[in-house]
Amino acid sequence: MEMEMRAKKAVARICETSDGIRQLLDDSAPLDAVLDVLRSRAGETPVLTGLLDDLDSALLQAGDELGLYGEGGRGPLTVPSNGLGPARRTEIVFHCPEGRCARMVRPEATVSARPRCAVFDEDLAWTAS
């Protein structure tokens, strides 16, 4: 199942915050429908997109200002170079091991456990840049 980037970002939000989404919704059926399709890997992009749109509407109706597609989180980290050329530092970034979503996690220095995918219950993969 090949997904467009907007859908991958939505799936990333579900992966990262599914427990919070479930608590926010009075009826978790829209979330469960998306999870069922993702876990079965049977969903075509139009089917999945329709279910994601339904979940987005449910979140907005439940009072989530951003909905499923809203932009949130922090942007790329910018480190000033202080005139000494481009700043570089090694960063660890965790991401979906199968590329099923666009989730990326930049861990804090105090994090000791690897983030997990809530959709497929597996550790996120990591890369260093």
Side-chain angles (χ1 to χ4, degrees):
M1 162 176 38
E2 182 63 31
M3 287 188 280
E4 63 176 282
M5 184 52 70
R6 184 172 189 238
K8 283 188 173 191
K9 288 180 180 180
V11 173
R13 176 151 189 240
I14 293 168
C15 177
E16 189 172 13
T17 62
S18 63
D19 290 339
I21 291 172
R22 190 172 302 282
Q23 290 175 0
L24 183 63
L25 297 174
D26 291 329
D27 176 11
S28 65
L31 174 62
D32 293 334
V34 170
L35 292 173
D36 288 345
V37 167
L38 287 171
R39 289 176 178 149
S40 72
R41 300 180 189 210
E44 297 294 323
T45 299
V47 172
L48 181 60
T49 300
L51 293 172
L52 291 170
D53 290 346
D54 292 345
L55 179 55
D56 179 61
S57 294
L59 285 169
L60 292 170
Q61 288 175 359
D64 184 349
E65 293 179 7
L66 297 176
L68 189 59
Y69 300 117
E71 295 299 320
R74 58 185 165 175
L77 181 62
T78 304
V79 180
S81 67
N82 294 329
L84 302 174
R88 295 258 327 150
R89 76 176 202 193
T90 301
E91 285 191 69
I92 302 293
V93 178
F94 291 96
H95 56 88
C96 179
E98 300 294 326
R100 294 175 289 233
C101 78
R103 182 177 178 196
M104 289 181 26
V105 177
R106 288 182 176 87
E108 307 262 335
T110 58
V111 173
S112 61
R114 183 180 287 204
R116 291 193 59 82
C117 171
V119 176
F120 293 97
D121 192 31
E122 60 191 22
D123 286 343
L124 296 183
W126 65 274
T127 56
S129 62

